[in-house]
Amino acid sequence: MSDSKPATQYLDAAIGLLQRVRDEEAGNIAAAGTLLADTVAGGGRLFAFGAGHSSLAAQDVVYRAGSLALMNLLAVPGAVGVDVMPATLGSALERVDGLAAAVLDTSPAKAGDALVIISLSGRNALPVEMAMNARALGLKVIGVTSLAYATGPDAPKSRHVSGTYLRDHCDVVLDSKIQIGDAELTYEGVDAPFASASTVTTSALMQATLATCATSLADRGIQPPLLRSGNVDGGHDWNGRVFAEYRDRIFYQH
C-alpha cells in the first residue's frame, strides 16, 4: 500500500470499479433492463435471488423505495443471509445439489417471468442449478457475477457437476468486475487481503438495471410500478395503490 489512508484507498478502489462497470457494462445493463421491462409489459413477474452476502443486493431491490414493486425475493431457507446458525451452514447449502430445483418447483415462478441471480463466484451448485432450472421452466435469467471467477488460469473450478458456471446459463450477464477473493487492499503486517467491494458494484448494477427498466417502460407509455418512501407524505397511500393494482404479481405481501 502507499502512504495514503486505507479508507481513501478503499474508496478510490470502489470508485474505480464503478467506473469500469459504467464504461464496460453499459450494453449489458441496457439489455438486462430491457429484458425486465419486456417481462413487466408482458404481464410477467420479477424475482431476485442471491445466496449468502450475494443476497444483500437482491434484498436491496425488494420492497424498496425507488424500486419496482414487482421485484420479489426468491428465498432459499438458510441461504439468504448470515442469520442462520451456524453461519457456515449457509455456505454449505450453496453446494447442495437439488436444492434449487426444489425451491423453484415450490415457488410461484413460471414461464414468462424473469429471475435475476446474483452470485459473486458463480461456481457453486445452487446458483448454477437455479439458472439451469429456471430457463428450463421458461424463465428469462439475468446473472450478476464476477467473470474473473470463470475465466483465466487462476479461476477456481466450478462446484457444479456439469463443470459450468452461472454465466453459462443466462440470457444476460452483468460482470461485477470483482477480483478473485473479493478484497481490495493489502497492508504490511496483515496476513490476508481485506476490504470487500462486491456489494458496492453488484448493488450498483442492480439499481442501474432497474433504472433502465423503469425508463424503458415509460418510453412505451407504461407507468412503471415504483414504490415511494413511507417516510414522505403520501408515500403509504401511493404504495397502497400500486400494491392493489399489481397484487397478483407481488408475493411478499401474502
Side-chain angles (χ1 to χ4, degrees), residues 174-230:
L174 301 176
D175 183 7
S176 64
K177 310 299 180 184
I178 298 298
Q179 62 184 330
I180 296 172
D182 193 15
E184 294 299 317
L185 302 183
T186 58
Y187 193 75
E188 185 177 353
V190 178
D191 291 341
F194 55 97
S196 305
S198 59
T199 305
V200 175
T201 59
T202 302
S203 291
L205 282 166
M206 292 294 291
Q207 293 293 346
T209 296
L210 292 186
T212 302
C213 174
T215 55
S216 178
L217 288 170
D219 289 343
R220 306 177 197 197
I222 301 172
Q223 185 62 224
L226 296 168
L227 295 175
R228 289 178 180 254
S229 171

Side-chain angles (χ1 to χ4, degrees), residues 7-26:
T8 300
Q9 288 195 323
Y10 174 76
L11 292 171
D12 285 345
I15 290 169
L17 287 166
L18 289 172
Q19 288 175 330
R20 286 190 62 197
V21 166
R22 178 196 63 196
D23 297 340
E24 300 172 18
E25 294 301 303

Side-chain angles (χ1 to χ4, degrees), residues 240-254:
R241 291 191 295 270
V242 173
F243 288 146
E245 182 176 355
Y246 291 95
R247 62 179 303 161
D248 60 330
R249 298 156 75 178
I250 301 173
F251 301 102
Y252 50 82
Q253 290 181 283
H254 307 150

Side-chain angles (χ1 to χ4, degrees), residues 35-224:
L35 186 156
L36 294 183
D38 290 343
T39 303
V40 173
R45 294 84 59 82
L46 308 180
F47 297 89
F49 164 76
H53 288 96
S54 289
S55 71
L56 295 174
Q59 295 179 58
D60 187 50
V61 295
V62 175
Y63 187 49
R64 178 66 186 267
S67 189
L68 290 171
L70 304 190
M71 185 61 77
N72 300 278
L73 186 68
L74 186 63
V76 176
V80 173
V82 293
D83 57 338
V84 62
M85 294 295 290
T88 50
L89 175 60
S91 297
L93 289 173
E94 290 187 63
R95 305 176 191 181
V96 175
D97 293 326
L99 182 56
V103 170
L104 277 172
D105 288 345
T106 55
S107 80
K110 64 181 182 180
D113 294 342
L115 171 61
V116 183
I117 300 176
I118 303 168
S119 173
L120 175 60
S121 72
R123 68 188 291 230
N124 287 312
L126 185 55
V128 174
E129 183 184 289
M130 187 74 75
M132 294 175 69
N133 282 269
R135 293 183 87 186
L137 290 172
L139 280 77
K140 295 293 186 180
V141 175
I142 297 170
V144 186
T145 187
S146 170
L147 293 183
Y149 281 84
T151 58
D154 297 326
K157 293 181 179 180
S158 167
R159 291 187 173 124
H160 189 260
V161 65
S162 68
T164 60
Y165 299 80
L166 171 61
R167 67 159 189 172
D168 299 314
H169 306 285
C170 300
D171 296 281
V172 181
V173 175
L174 301 176
D175 183 7
S176 64
K177 310 299 180 184
I178 298 298
Q179 62 184 330
I180 296 172
D182 193 15
E184 294 299 317
L185 302 183
T186 58
Y187 193 75
E188 185 177 353
V190 178
D191 291 341
F194 55 97
S196 305
S198 59
T199 305
V200 175
T201 59
T202 302
S203 291
L205 282 166
M206 292 294 291
Q207 293 293 346
T209 296
L210 292 186
T212 302
C213 174
T215 55
S216 178
L217 288 170
D219 289 343
R220 306 177 197 197
I222 301 172
Q223 185 62 224

